[in-house]
Amino acid sequence: PENENVPMVPQETTQLCDSDSTNDDSTRVLIIEDNPDVAAYIGRQLADTYDLFYASDGKKGLEKAEKIIPDLIITDLMMPETDGLEVCRQVRSNTIISHIPIIILTAKITEEERIKGIDAGADAYICKPFNSDELRTRVEKLLEGRKLLQEKFCSIAGEIKKEEVQTNYAEKEVDVRFLTK
């Protein structure tokens, strides 16, 4: 037969496993990437510092984001079903997860694409192939910024709760509910 001398090449598939930490104080990063090798590479850059969770497309990523409430999302721009821009839009329109910073990874980084990403709600764009130091620094700085905001909102919420509210009670109650949420 003709196919007798065709070499057999083993097909290795990259296995991506979510962190199994039950520690609520851990920092969770959700990586939404349809290429398992790229997702694994991103994970290797961050695994020593953060708990990592993976999704192979935007739809699964959005479902997982609602389930685990990550501290940061890293998403590819070009993916089947739900692309990175749509992930951004849906995260920003969901009150439960709208506060989460988003980094978009893309090989397509024209000015027009960057503007579309910012308009959709991306906090940062990183061009593929990317420098691992840049990725780690962007992740670190975005998380630091969110932590500072969170601390500020917590202190404001504490002050509002302590304050004796005699006038505009309904307005203050709405503020407290918003800040608590």
Side-chain angles (χ1 to χ4, degrees):
E2 291 176 23
N3 293 339
E4 224 174 90
N5 293 327
V6 175
M8 295 297 288
V9 178
Q11 296 291 322
E12 284 189 40
T13 56
T14 303
Q15 290 297 319
L16 301 171
C17 298
D18 289 349
S19 296
D20 57 3
S21 172
T22 55
N23 180 2
D24 285 339
D25 293 335
S26 65
T27 302
R28 298 174 177 169
V29 176
L30 174 60
I31 300 167
I32 307 172
E33 170 63 66
D34 59 331
N35 182 324
D37 294 328
V38 173
Y41 177 74
I42 294 166
R44 283 193 300 275
Q45 306 309 308
L46 305 172
D48 58 339
T49 313
Y50 309 107
D51 283 350
L52 303 176
F53 298 85
Y54 298 92
S56 58
D57 64 55
K59 185 177 183 216
K60 291 176 187 163
L62 288 163
E63 289 168 6
K64 193 169 276 193
E66 284 189 24
K67 182 179 170 190
I68 65 165
I69 315 294
D71 296 285
L72 181 109
I73 295 172
I74 299 172
T75 183
D76 188 15
L77 178 65
M78 305 294 281
M79 292 182 292
E81 268 200 62
T82 306
D83 68 10
L85 292 180
E86 188 56 29
V87 167
C88 284
R89 285 186 202 99
Q90 289 191 33
V91 166
R92 294 299 175 238
S93 67
N94 182 327
T95 55
I96 297 167
I97 57 176
S98 63
H99 65 285
I100 300 170
I102 302 171
I103 296 175
I104 292 183
L105 299 175
T106 180
K108 196 176 173 183
I109 192 112
T110 65
E111 193 171 325
E112 182 183 343
E113 287 297 321
R114 191 184 325 233
I115 291 168
K116 283 181 186 175
I118 292 167
D119 187 51
D123 293 281
Y125 251 97
I126 298 180
C127 190
K128 289 181 187 177
F130 56 86
N131 177 307
S132 58
D133 289 333
E134 179 185 2
L135 175 68
R136 282 192 297 272
T137 303
R138 288 266 188 185
V139 167
E140 189 179 298
K141 292 301 175 191
L142 281 170
L143 288 169
E144 274 179 23
R146 291 296 186 205
K147 187 175 182 183
L148 288 171
L149 280 174
Q150 188 177 25
E151 288 169 1
K152 185 157 182 87
F153 280 126
C154 285
S155 83
I156 291 170
E159 288 172 21
I160 290 173
K161 284 181 181 180
K162 289 177 191 172
E163 194 177 284
E164 286 186 14
V165 181
Q166 293 176 353
T167 57
N168 299 328
Y169 179 77
E171 187 179 308
K172 294 289 183 188
E173 188 179 338
V174 170
D175 290 344
V176 170
R177 273 189 275 136
F178 171 74
L179 291 170
T180 303
K181 187 176 177 183

